[in-house]
Amino acid sequence: MSAASTRRDELLAIAGERFATQGYKFTTVRDIADAAGILSGSLYHHFDSKESMVDELLRDFQDQLFGQYDEILASDDDARTKLERAFRVSFEAIENHPHEVAIFQNDADHLGRLDGFGYLADRNAQSRQVWITLLEEGVASGVLRADLDITLTYRFIRDTVWVAVRWYRPGGGLTHTEVADQYVRILLDGIATDGRGARAATVSRPRKRK
């Protein structure tokens, strides 16, 4: 890798950190240049604009993530194994690409209104279809309950997995794989001890006053 390519990657990483922590809308080219210790004009030797920087960050990250999802969907694994793998891939993304995940979570709506970023809505729809497919396979195979609300369950997964980028820190008490495994057990096995869930479901409701 050439020195120019290495420097470009360093600048892109700095931009990603700025976008993730300050927000894309509130980060200027000058902010990125100052963090890199260069003049604003020097940044344009490597990138056309702030938009091109965030576009490269998100495209590369999502190409890799959805490539992994596609491999899971196409595999011969059973339904539960596919779900487990999807959770692990998602948390691996949070581990390895926290800035890209944060940018997508925080700024996808804004970026989606800009020219050239229509693919973000497409990726969002693709992510939904990945999880819907995995859940439907789970129901069809008997791994998941037949009365499961697929859409609601997908929303639960979406809103609990990706928000973890706000609190998960590499090197903390749990690895990303351990966190993923906990999520799998909570979703698929529940958090009640044996018998408690069934008993709770049969508790009688308070009688209405006459």
Side-chain angles (χ1 to χ4, degrees):
M1 182 179 292
S2 68
S5 296
T6 300
R7 183 53 172 162
R8 191 177 188 281
D9 291 342
E10 291 173 351
L11 294 172
L12 199 59
I14 291 170
E17 190 274 335
R18 294 289 89 189
F19 295 148
T21 57
Q22 295 181 186
Y24 174 79
K25 292 183 291 184
F26 303 107
T27 301
T28 65
V29 169
R30 183 170 182 174
D31 291 333
I32 300 168
D34 287 347
I38 60 176
L39 297 174
S40 298
S42 299
L43 205 60
Y44 291 107
H45 293 305
H46 301 276
F47 302 96
D48 295 335
S49 62
K50 184 176 79 166
E51 288 78 8
S52 68
M53 299 181 81
V54 74
D55 177 55
E56 186 169 336
L57 285 164
L58 292 178
R59 281 187 187 273
D60 288 352
F61 155 64
Q62 293 191 338
D63 285 348
Q64 177 180 333
L65 176 63
F66 284 94
Q68 291 176 292
Y69 283 153
D70 287 343
E71 289 180 4
I72 293 171
L73 291 175
S75 74
D76 294 327
D77 291 334
D78 60 77
R80 176 165 180 137
T81 300
K82 286 183 178 181
L83 280 165
E84 292 176 352
R85 288 180 61 192
F87 273 100
R88 294 191 184 103
V89 161
S90 300
F91 278 98
E92 183 180 22
I94 294 173
E95 166 88 13
N96 296 329
H97 302 280
H99 297 151
E100 290 87 340
V101 173
I103 294 166
F104 186 80
Q105 291 298 300
N106 298 332
D107 291 305
D109 288 343
H110 169 72
L111 290 168
R113 293 191 289 270
L114 304 179
D115 290 342
F117 287 90
Y119 68 90
L120 294 180
D122 295 336
R123 285 301 198 188
N124 190 49
Q126 185 178 357
S127 178
R128 181 183 188 279
Q129 190 55 52
V130 166
W131 287 100
I132 292 291
T133 299
L134 292 173
L135 292 169
E136 288 177 342
E137 287 185 9
V139 171
S141 66
V143 171
L144 303 177
R145 296 199 320 267
D147 64 344
L148 192 70
D149 186 311
I150 298 293
T151 300
L152 182 62
T153 306
Y154 153 69
R155 289 172 177 167
F156 171 79
I157 292 171
R158 178 197 64 192
D159 295 343
T160 54
V161 169
W162 296 112
V163 75
V165 73
R166 299 179 182 175
W167 57 261
Y168 175 76
R169 295 294 179 271
L174 295 172
T175 66
H176 68 276
T177 301
E178 289 169 335
V179 173
D181 289 345
Q182 286 282 342
Y183 270 61
V184 167
R185 285 195 288 273
I186 291 170
L187 177 68
L188 300 184
D189 301 327
I191 59 176
T193 57
D194 290 346
R196 290 181 59 85
R199 184 164 65 251
T202 59
V203 171
S204 60
R205 296 179 180 177
R207 294 180 180 179
K208 295 182 179 180
R209 294 182 179 178
K210 295 183 179 179

